[in-house]
Amino acid sequence: MHWRPTATARLMTFDPEGLTPAQCEGDACVACHKKWPRPRIRIGRLPNDAILFACPDCAEALLPQPAADVRPLTRGMALTT
């Protein structure tokens, strides 16, 4: 199985000091410690490039959400305060 992140993935780097051995090995969710079902969403990495995983609920909360309905300003529009 391929454990490296994809080229487009932007993973957060976590400090391993606050993580359990199971979290550091990718066997438990990095946020809630859940071990079953095994977390499968790549959420970050350690400084030694080990990949960390999260369960779907935690991954949704940890990953930055794309901005919705953002449009560029038109040429004639001015900002006022």
Side-chain angles (χ1 to χ4, degrees):
M1 185 173 212
H2 176 34
W3 293 105
R4 294 262 183 228
T6 61
T8 58
R10 296 200 177 168
L11 301 176
M12 298 177 278
T13 302
F14 285 78
D15 182 6
E17 188 171 320
L19 301 176
T20 65
Q23 288 172 313
C24 290
E25 294 169 4
D27 292 331
C29 176
V30 74
C32 71
H33 303 272
K34 185 163 115 180
K35 292 183 181 180
W36 186 258
R38 188 172 187 270
R40 299 191 180 272
I41 300 172
R42 295 176 188 175
I43 196 73
R45 64 178 172 220
L46 295 175
N48 66 358
D49 287 333
I51 300 297
L52 298 174
F53 295 91
C55 62
D57 294 334
C58 293
E60 186 176 332
L62 289 172
L63 290 174
Q65 301 300 316
D69 199 26
V70 176
R71 299 179 191 152
L73 297 174
T74 61
R75 284 197 100 171
M77 187 178 284
L79 296 176
T80 60
T81 55

